[in-house]
Amino acid sequence: MGINSLLYSLLTGCAMGLFACILVIRHKSGNHGVLAASVIAFLGGIAGLVLKCMQYGHPERLLNILARPTSKLSLELIFTALCLIVMAVFIIWRAGISSPIFTAVAVFLCLGGIYFTGAQYLMPSRLAWNTQLVPLLYLISALAVGLYAALALNASSGGLKLGVVISLAAIVLIVLYALFLTKLPSQHYSRSLERLISGDLRPAFFGALVLYAFSAVLAFLARAKTGMSALLVSLVCTVSVCLAAYM
């Protein structure tokens, strides 16, 4: 898998996660930092889309993908493009749109874009990837990064309780994925639980679990903090879940 594809997934996932989360938490924490977060999300999404175009090399290849609107790749591009359009509209209105309908549509598009970006890695030829746990892990990781980054930009602890839930959900999904590997019909070391626990993937596996657990505990302890304390906690949690997602 090319570096452009990985960077695209990282940038667009975090961008859509950030935008969805900043829209959700602003109803509780106010508009502080909302416009800045939206601009960052938009620029990240644009950068990711540019990398996607570079991956295919020729624009006509993207048109060929869009000609099959029900394919995972086509849905990924459609949802991502619609998310960027919604972000642009929100930024043009200087984060002044507070309609619940707009928020619901924007969050739905972001969640769909994140999910279908993760779903592109579902391949029957790669048994270890061919499970719905893969896009769900990608979705929960993007939301974790997006939420803690949104809280840091908003300088608020208003969504830290939700951060605890998301971090714990990530841990559950990682454990479920490890159990999934034991149920594969064709066992091989390259896609085995042994490789996760005691092989070359051990640092990534246990590192992700520890970092998500750390962010959950820290978010729980700081759920009532405000001001600079909330900002610092959110920043630390953002770094933690970024590292966990990268692993």
Side-chain angles (χ1 to χ4, degrees), residues 38-57:
S38 302
V39 171
I40 292 171
F42 180 74
L43 294 177
I46 290 293
L49 201 58
V50 169
L51 288 172
K52 190 71 170 179
C53 294
M54 291 172 60
Q55 178 189 355
Y56 287 99

Side-chain angles (χ1 to χ4, degrees), residues 28-238:
K28 179 182 290 188
S29 306
N31 278 333
H32 178 74
V34 171
L35 183 59
S38 302
V39 171
I40 292 171
F42 180 74
L43 294 177
I46 290 293
L49 201 58
V50 169
L51 288 172
K52 190 71 170 179
C53 294
M54 291 172 60
Q55 178 189 355
Y56 287 99
H58 299 283
E60 61 270 18
R61 294 180 181 174
L62 290 176
L63 294 177
N64 290 336
I65 292 173
L66 293 173
R68 294 171 293 181
T70 57
S71 69
K72 288 179 293 192
L73 280 173
S74 181
L75 287 170
E76 171 196 350
L77 291 173
I78 291 171
F79 270 86
T80 302
L82 290 174
C83 281
L84 289 172
I85 292 172
V86 170
M87 289 179 197
V89 171
F90 189 72
I91 292 169
I92 290 172
W93 259 262
R94 299 186 64 80
I97 304 175
S98 57
S99 166
I101 296 176
F102 177 88
T103 299
V105 171
V107 170
F108 169 76
L109 290 174
C110 289
L111 294 179
I114 297 169
Y115 173 82
F116 284 114
T117 300
Q120 68 171 310
Y121 298 109
L122 296 176
M123 302 178 190
S125 59
R126 296 203 175 204
L127 296 180
W129 292 6
N130 198 34
T131 169
Q132 286 297 322
L133 291 171
V134 170
L136 289 177
L137 269 169
Y138 179 76
L139 174 62
I140 207 72
S141 298
L143 289 177
V145 174
L147 177 62
Y148 290 124
L151 290 171
L153 289 164
N154 192 247
S156 164
S157 61
L160 283 179
K161 291 181 181 179
L162 179 58
V164 174
V165 174
I166 291 177
S167 294
L168 292 177
I171 293 173
V172 171
L173 287 174
I174 292 171
V175 172
L176 288 176
Y177 179 76
L179 295 175
F180 161 77
L181 293 180
T182 66
K183 304 297 182 181
L184 290 176
S186 175
Q187 289 295 318
H188 188 275
Y189 176 75
S190 64
R191 50 178 180 269
S192 67
L193 181 61
E194 179 186 359
R195 187 184 180 197
L196 279 183
I197 294 177
S198 58
D200 60 308
L201 294 179
R202 179 174 58 181
F205 177 67
F206 287 107
L209 288 175
V210 169
L211 287 167
Y212 277 123
F214 172 74
S215 66
V217 171
L218 186 59
F220 177 78
L221 294 176
R223 62 192 184 281
K225 299 292 184 181
T226 57
M228 186 58 67
S229 297
L231 171 62
L232 291 175
V233 168
S234 298
L235 283 174
V236 172
C237 288
T238 302

